[in-house]
Amino acid sequence: MGGIIVRHRINEKFGYRVFIISCALSMVTILYVMLNITYFRTGSSAVTLVAALMGISLCLLVFFIGILVHIHRLERCQQLEQKIKEAQQEYVEKLLSLVDEQRNDILNAISVVTAYLQIGEFRRAQRYLEFIAADQLDKFDYHSKTWLSDPWEATLKQKQKEALVHGILFTVEEKLRPPEDERERRLVARLMANLIEDAFQGVLDVQDRHVWLRWHLEDGKAVLEVKNNQPGQASHFSEQGAEMEPAGRYLEDDIPEKYIWRLPICRQIAAEAGGILTVTNSGQTTTYRFVLQ
C-alpha cells in the first residue's frame, strides 16, 4: 500500500507540473494572438489594453479552475491515505490480539503439561500437547480465511461454497443478529465453522445430504444449532473433565488429524465463549446445539 501511495504522489506532482507549464504556454499564446488581432483590427491602444485585460482574466479563470481540480485530487489522496492508515492500524491491533492470545495458550499449555509430568501422567501430557497442536492449527486455518473480513459472514459464505462442492443442501436460518462483542462474535463464528464442518463430514456417505443451521433466541439466550441427516450414533461429550480425548468415531487411520480433535476443540471454544455445547442423535439426525450463557 505504501508503494501505491508513493507512486500516486509522484504521478500527482508530475501531472501538476505538466498542467502548470501547459497553462502558462497557453496563456502566453492566447494573449499574444488576442493582442495582435485586436491591434491590427482597431489600431487603438485602449481597445488593445481592454482586450489584454480580458485575455488575462480568461487565462486566470482557467488557471484557478485547474488549481481547484488539483486541490480536489489532493484531498482525495489524503482521504485514501487516511483510510489506508486506519486499515493498517486495525490490522496491527488484530495481529497483536492474536499473538497475545497465542502466547497465553502456549503458557497455559506449558503449565498444564508441567503439572501432568510432575504427577507422572505422561499419557495425559502427550494427549494435551496433541490437542493444543490441533487447536493452534485450527486457529491458524480459520484466521487465514477470515482475517480481514467479518468472521460471521466470511464463515457462512465459505461453508455455502463448500456445500455446493460436496453436493450438500445447506439451509441457513438466522433469526438473530450476530454477537456485537468482537471477541464473542469471533469465537462463536469459529465454533460455527467447526460444527458445520463436522456436520458436512458426517453426511458425505449419505445419498441425500442435508445440513441445517439455526441461529435464534430461546428463553432469552442465543442458540446455535447445526443439524444433519446423519443416521447412527454421534460422538457425545460433556463439559465435565479436564482431560482432552479424541473423538471416538474419528480413530480411523485415513482420517486427517484435525478431524480427530474437532469435537474437543469445539468444546474448548464453547467454554471460552461462555456457553454450553451438546451433541445428540435421534437415530436419523445428529444435532449440535450451543447455548450462549
Side-chain angles (χ1 to χ4, degrees), residues 162-179:
E162 291 181 9
L164 290 176
V165 172
H166 295 294
I168 300 173
L169 178 58
F170 184 37
T171 304
V172 178
E173 182 181 352
E174 290 186 89
K175 294 186 177 182
L176 184 65
R177 292 178 60 85

Side-chain angles (χ1 to χ4, degrees), residues 77-240:
C77 182
Q78 291 175 353
Q79 291 175 356
L80 177 62
E81 291 179 3
Q82 182 63 29
K83 289 182 180 179
I84 291 175
K85 288 181 180 178
E86 291 176 356
Q88 289 176 337
Q89 181 65 27
E90 182 180 359
Y91 178 85
V92 170
E93 290 177 355
K94 286 184 177 180
L95 182 61
L96 291 176
S97 175
L98 183 61
V99 170
D100 186 62
E101 180 180 336
Q102 188 178 31
R103 179 183 64 86
N104 291 334
D105 289 343
I106 294 174
L107 291 177
N108 291 335
I110 293 174
S111 300
V112 174
V113 171
T114 302
Y116 280 146
L117 293 177
Q118 288 177 347
I119 61 176
E121 293 285 350
F122 301 109
R123 181 179 176 278
R124 287 191 175 186
Q126 179 185 351
R127 283 299 190 191
Y128 193 80
L129 284 175
E130 292 174 357
F131 167 76
I132 289 297
D135 182 55
Q136 293 300 314
L137 181 62
D138 180 76
K139 280 185 179 180
F140 176 80
D141 182 61
Y142 175 75
H143 288 303
S144 66
K145 297 175 181 177
T146 63
W147 181 247
L148 296 178
S149 306
D150 177 78
W152 193 273
E153 296 297 332
T155 296
L156 289 178
K157 289 181 180 179
Q158 177 193 348
K159 295 308 176 184
Q160 286 169 348
K161 292 180 180 178
E162 291 181 9
L164 290 176
V165 172
H166 295 294
I168 300 173
L169 178 58
F170 184 37
T171 304
V172 178
E173 182 181 352
E174 290 186 89
K175 294 186 177 182
L176 184 65
R177 292 178 60 85
E180 296 293 337
D181 181 74
E182 183 177 350
R183 179 179 179 275
E184 189 175 88
R185 186 191 191 99
R186 175 171 51 83
L187 287 171
V188 178
R190 183 182 167 215
L191 175 63
M192 178 173 64
N194 277 279
L195 293 180
I196 295 173
E197 180 66 24
D198 201 69
F200 282 180
Q201 291 293 321
V203 297
L204 291 182
D205 296 330
V206 178
Q207 185 174 1
D208 297 324
R209 303 165 182 174
H210 197 174
V211 173
W212 297 264
L213 181 141
R214 290 188 66 209
W215 172 247
H216 61 284
L217 196 65
E218 185 176 305
D219 297 330
K221 298 179 180 180
V223 177
L224 174 68
E225 284 186 350
V226 178
K227 183 173 68 173
N228 65 5
N229 59 333
Q230 173 194 2
Q233 183 67 26
S235 295
H236 293 262
F237 59 96
S238 65
E239 293 69 41
Q240 306 298 324

Side-chain angles (χ1 to χ4, degrees), residues 260-279:
I260 294 178
W261 292 100
R262 186 172 301 282
L263 291 182
I265 288 174
C266 289
R267 177 175 61 182
Q268 177 75 9
I269 300 172
E272 291 180 10
I276 298 176
L277 176 64
T278 57
V279 180

